[in-house]
Short mmCIF file of all heavy atoms in Angstrom, two decimals:
data_model
loop_
_atom_site.label_atom_id
_atom_site.label_comp_id
_atom_site.label_asym_id
_atom_site.label_seq_id
_atom_site.Cartn_x
_atom_site.Cartn_y
_atom_site.Cartn_z
N LEU R 13 2.87 14.88 -8.75
CA LEU R 13 3.95 15.81 -8.93
C LEU R 13 4.30 16.01 -10.41
O LEU R 13 4.50 17.04 -10.89
CB LEU R 13 5.17 15.44 -8.17
CG LEU R 13 5.11 15.58 -6.68
CD1 LEU R 13 6.36 15.09 -5.99
CD2 LEU R 13 4.89 17.05 -6.34
N LEU R 43 0.38 38.48 -16.10
CA LEU R 43 1.78 38.17 -16.33
C LEU R 43 1.99 37.39 -17.59
O LEU R 43 1.30 36.46 -17.87
CB LEU R 43 2.40 37.44 -15.15
CG LEU R 43 2.43 38.15 -13.80
CD1 LEU R 43 2.70 37.18 -12.69
CD2 LEU R 43 3.38 39.30 -13.86
N VAL R 48 -1.84 41.48 -28.84
CA VAL R 48 -3.03 42.20 -28.69
C VAL R 48 -3.59 42.66 -29.99
O VAL R 48 -2.87 42.96 -30.98
CB VAL R 48 -2.83 43.39 -27.72
CG1 VAL R 48 -2.49 42.94 -26.33
CG2 VAL R 48 -1.81 44.39 -28.22
N GLY R 60 -0.62 44.75 -31.68
CA GLY R 60 0.46 45.20 -30.86
C GLY R 60 0.91 44.08 -29.93
O GLY R 60 0.49 42.86 -30.12
N ASN R 62 2.05 43.28 -25.64
CA ASN R 62 2.11 43.72 -24.24
C ASN R 62 2.86 42.64 -23.46
O ASN R 62 2.53 41.49 -23.53
CB ASN R 62 0.69 43.93 -23.68
CG ASN R 62 0.70 44.94 -22.51
OD1 ASN R 62 1.74 45.44 -22.14
ND2 ASN R 62 -0.53 45.26 -22.04
N ILE R 64 4.16 41.80 -19.59
CA ILE R 64 3.99 42.15 -18.18
C ILE R 64 4.79 41.18 -17.37
O ILE R 64 4.66 39.93 -17.54
CB ILE R 64 2.52 42.09 -17.75
CG1 ILE R 64 1.65 43.14 -18.47
CG2 ILE R 64 2.40 42.33 -16.21
CD1 ILE R 64 1.11 42.74 -19.74
N LYS R 66 7.16 40.73 -13.35
CA LYS R 66 7.31 41.23 -11.96
C LYS R 66 8.76 41.79 -11.84
O LYS R 66 9.69 41.22 -12.33
CB LYS R 66 7.04 40.12 -10.90
CG LYS R 66 5.63 39.86 -10.83
CD LYS R 66 5.37 38.84 -9.68
CE LYS R 66 3.80 38.65 -9.50
NZ LYS R 66 3.58 37.75 -8.36
N LYS R 103 -2.55 49.95 -6.81
CA LYS R 103 -2.37 51.24 -7.43
C LYS R 103 -1.57 51.01 -8.74
O LYS R 103 -0.73 50.07 -8.80
CB LYS R 103 -1.56 52.19 -6.59
CG LYS R 103 -2.34 52.70 -5.35
CD LYS R 103 -3.56 53.46 -5.68
CE LYS R 103 -3.24 54.84 -6.32
NZ LYS R 103 -4.46 55.61 -6.66
N GLN R 104 -1.89 51.77 -9.79
CA GLN R 104 -1.18 51.71 -11.01
C GLN R 104 -0.90 53.14 -11.52
O GLN R 104 -1.85 53.98 -11.46
CB GLN R 104 -1.97 51.01 -12.11
CG GLN R 104 -1.18 50.85 -13.44
CD GLN R 104 -2.01 50.29 -14.55
OE1 GLN R 104 -2.69 51.02 -15.30
NE2 GLN R 104 -1.94 48.96 -14.74
N ARG R 125 -11.38 42.12 -13.29
CA ARG R 125 -10.35 42.92 -12.64
C ARG R 125 -10.38 44.35 -13.22
O ARG R 125 -10.56 44.55 -14.43
CB ARG R 125 -8.97 42.37 -12.87
CG ARG R 125 -8.85 40.93 -12.32
CD ARG R 125 -9.05 40.89 -10.77
NE ARG R 125 -8.87 39.51 -10.19
CZ ARG R 125 -9.86 38.73 -9.86
NH1 ARG R 125 -11.11 39.11 -10.00
NH2 ARG R 125 -9.60 37.56 -9.38
N PHE R 140 -16.36 63.04 -14.29
CA PHE R 140 -15.68 62.22 -15.28
C PHE R 140 -14.75 61.21 -14.61
O PHE R 140 -14.03 61.53 -13.70
CB PHE R 140 -14.89 63.14 -16.25
CG PHE R 140 -14.24 62.39 -17.37
CD1 PHE R 140 -15.05 61.96 -18.42
CD2 PHE R 140 -12.92 62.12 -17.42
CE1 PHE R 140 -14.50 61.20 -19.50
CE2 PHE R 140 -12.32 61.48 -18.47
CZ PHE R 140 -13.14 61.02 -19.52
N MET R 144 -10.24 50.65 -16.72
CA MET R 144 -9.90 49.48 -17.57
C MET R 144 -10.51 48.27 -16.92
O MET R 144 -10.37 48.09 -15.69
CB MET R 144 -8.36 49.32 -17.59
CG MET R 144 -7.57 50.48 -18.13
SD MET R 144 -5.79 50.13 -18.05
CE MET R 144 -5.51 50.46 -16.31
N PHE R 146 -10.77 44.11 -17.15
CA PHE R 146 -10.25 42.84 -17.66
C PHE R 146 -11.33 41.81 -17.41
O PHE R 146 -11.68 41.65 -16.24
CB PHE R 146 -8.96 42.42 -16.95
CG PHE R 146 -7.81 43.49 -16.98
CD1 PHE R 146 -7.82 44.54 -16.10
CD2 PHE R 146 -6.75 43.35 -17.81
CE1 PHE R 146 -6.86 45.50 -16.08
CE2 PHE R 146 -5.72 44.27 -17.80
CZ PHE R 146 -5.73 45.31 -16.95
N TRP R 156 -9.89 43.21 -22.67
CA TRP R 156 -9.64 44.44 -21.90
C TRP R 156 -10.44 45.56 -22.52
O TRP R 156 -10.33 45.81 -23.71
CB TRP R 156 -8.12 44.76 -21.95
CG TRP R 156 -7.67 46.00 -21.40
CD1 TRP R 156 -7.15 46.15 -20.16
CD2 TRP R 156 -7.56 47.26 -22.08
NE1 TRP R 156 -6.77 47.50 -20.00
CE2 TRP R 156 -6.96 48.21 -21.18
CE3 TRP R 156 -7.89 47.76 -23.34
CZ2 TRP R 156 -6.74 49.51 -21.46
CZ3 TRP R 156 -7.64 49.07 -23.64
CH2 TRP R 156 -7.11 49.94 -22.73
N ILE R 174 -9.61 45.66 -26.38
CA ILE R 174 -8.43 44.96 -26.91
C ILE R 174 -8.60 43.47 -26.53
O ILE R 174 -8.92 43.16 -25.33
CB ILE R 174 -7.14 45.50 -26.30
CG1 ILE R 174 -6.98 46.94 -26.68
CG2 ILE R 174 -5.93 44.70 -26.76
CD1 ILE R 174 -5.75 47.61 -26.13
N TYR R 176 -6.67 40.02 -25.92
CA TYR R 176 -5.32 39.54 -25.56
C TYR R 176 -5.21 38.03 -25.85
O TYR R 176 -6.15 37.27 -25.44
CB TYR R 176 -5.11 39.75 -24.07
CG TYR R 176 -4.61 41.10 -23.66
CD1 TYR R 176 -5.38 42.22 -23.79
CD2 TYR R 176 -3.33 41.27 -23.20
CE1 TYR R 176 -4.95 43.49 -23.43
CE2 TYR R 176 -2.88 42.56 -22.82
CZ TYR R 176 -3.67 43.62 -22.94
OH TYR R 176 -3.22 44.87 -22.59
#
Side-chain angles (χ1 to χ4, degrees):
L13 285 177
L43 295 168
V48 296
N62 204 357
I64 296 85
K66 288 187 176 183
K103 290 298 289 180
Q104 182 187 90
R125 301 296 183 258
F140 187 71
M144 299 177 283
F146 303 81
W156 173 95
I174 300 179
Y176 277 68

